[in-house]
Amino acid sequence: MSIDSPFTKDNLDSYLRELGKEFRKLNGTKMPAEIILIGGAAILANYTFREATYDIDAIILASSAMKDAINHVGDKFGLPNGWLNTNFKRTASFSDKLLEISVYYKTFSNILTVRTVSAEYLVAMKLMSGRQYKNDLSDIAGILWEHKRNGIPLKKETINNAIATLYGINAAIPPIAQELIDNAFSINDFEAAYAIIRESENQAKGILLDFDKNHPGKLKSENIDKVLEQARNKLKNNNGK
């Protein structure tokens, strides 16, 4: 699968269905498996505002046959290596409480149970991650927007309780993410916030691509925010002249 053929709401279930079939073939029927969809995949499963994601982050509870099943499905459909992975477990958004708070999504081939994460916990995870160059911040606005549009608005108190459940009452939310959630609830126009944030995220991606092109190997996770801040300040100064 190329970057032009991402995972979408339409094809997500089809790949999970094939994974269930392949796991059943390799593992038999005595030992079921469970996958908890996190991040973009959980957004696709539960909402309409997000069009795509380029990998599937998950918690995987299964025998070793699952690794082979993932690889076989990837080979069959030309998916990239790591199309379904647990890499997010090394990030700030991971919490071992996710196992307890996950909710049922679907079962495939009577062997693979797929679960997702409900709204307040998805927002909590996106706040904790708070990356300006991914979809973290726009996903927050998108979830708030869709819930308000559907007549089931999320309360800030509910989100704060979810943060405390996953990360403790003293969780350190990145300042830019905290500012976003405060402003979003203050203005209460989540649709407008979503559009503005998406534009900012696309700008950030462009800045980082240019920096990496001009300074190969210099872009690190610890200096991304600084690179973005300097580039935006430079752009602001240039526009002010």
Side-chain angles (χ1 to χ4, degrees):
M1 184 174 71
S2 72
I3 195 167
D4 296 321
S5 304
F7 297 99
T8 67
K9 193 174 187 69
D10 291 334
N11 67 29
L12 176 63
D13 281 6
S14 64
Y15 291 125
L16 292 174
R17 187 175 299 109
E18 289 296 326
L19 184 62
K21 292 177 182 178
E22 191 64 30
F23 181 76
R24 186 185 180 100
K25 186 190 303 182
L26 294 172
N27 191 74
T29 59
K30 292 184 179 180
M31 189 180 298
E34 189 170 274
I35 288 176
I36 303 172
L37 300 180
I38 304 296
I43 299 288
L44 291 180
N46 292 292
Y47 299 97
T48 61
F49 69 86
R50 177 87 175 262
E51 294 181 353
T53 188
Y54 290 93
D55 65 349
I56 298 177
D57 298 312
I59 295 173
I60 300 174
L61 305 172
S63 71
S64 58
M66 180 57 73
K67 182 177 180 180
D68 290 333
I70 291 170
N71 290 336
H72 289 181
V73 172
D75 291 342
K76 181 177 180 179
F77 293 98
L79 306 179
N81 291 333
W83 69 272
L84 192 155
N85 64 80
T86 61
N87 295 340
F88 93 101
K89 293 179 74 173
R90 299 194 293 268
T91 70
S93 62
F94 175 73
S95 167
D96 54 14
K97 298 290 185 180
L98 290 168
L99 297 173
E100 301 173 21
I101 59 87
S102 63
V103 293
Y104 178 78
Y105 175 57
K106 291 181 181 180
T107 298
F108 298 93
S109 296
N110 294 318
I111 192 72
L112 174 60
T113 298
V114 179
R115 302 176 67 81
T116 65
V117 180
S118 57
E120 64 270 29
Y121 295 105
L122 277 174
V123 172
M125 293 177 71
K126 294 290 185 177
L127 284 168
M128 182 59 74
S129 183
R131 295 167 297 182
Q132 301 178 57
Y133 56 97
K134 290 283 190 179
N135 294 80
D136 290 335
L137 304 181
S138 61
D139 280 346
I140 294 169
I143 291 170
L144 295 173
W145 171 27
E146 195 154 323
H147 273 265
K148 182 182 178 183
R149 189 178 66 206
N150 292 337
I152 45 174
L154 275 178
K155 297 181 179 179
K156 194 173 182 182
E157 180 184 2
T158 302
I159 295 169
N160 288 338
N161 288 338
I163 294 170
T165 296
L166 292 181
Y167 308 111
I169 59 174
N170 296 316
I173 302 298
I176 190 169
Q178 187 63 59
E179 181 180 357
L180 178 148
I181 197 76
D182 290 341
N183 288 342
F185 275 99
S186 176
I187 298 170
N188 202 32
D189 188 346
F190 304 128
E191 181 179 4
Y194 177 79
I196 292 169
I197 295 165
R198 282 299 296 135
E199 182 178 351
S200 177
E201 287 169 341
N202 288 331
Q203 181 194 59
K205 291 175 186 177
I207 289 171
L208 295 178
L209 285 172
D210 287 343
F211 182 89
D212 192 49
K213 181 179 178 180
N214 295 325
H215 308 280
K218 298 295 184 181
L219 191 63
K220 308 292 182 182
S221 58
E222 58 268 20
N223 69 2
I224 284 178
D225 287 346
K226 185 175 181 180
V227 168
L228 289 173
E229 181 182 5
Q230 289 176 342
R232 283 169 171 160
N233 286 338
K234 183 177 180 180
L235 182 62
K236 187 184 299 183
N237 292 334
N238 290 340
N239 289 339
K241 292 181 178 179

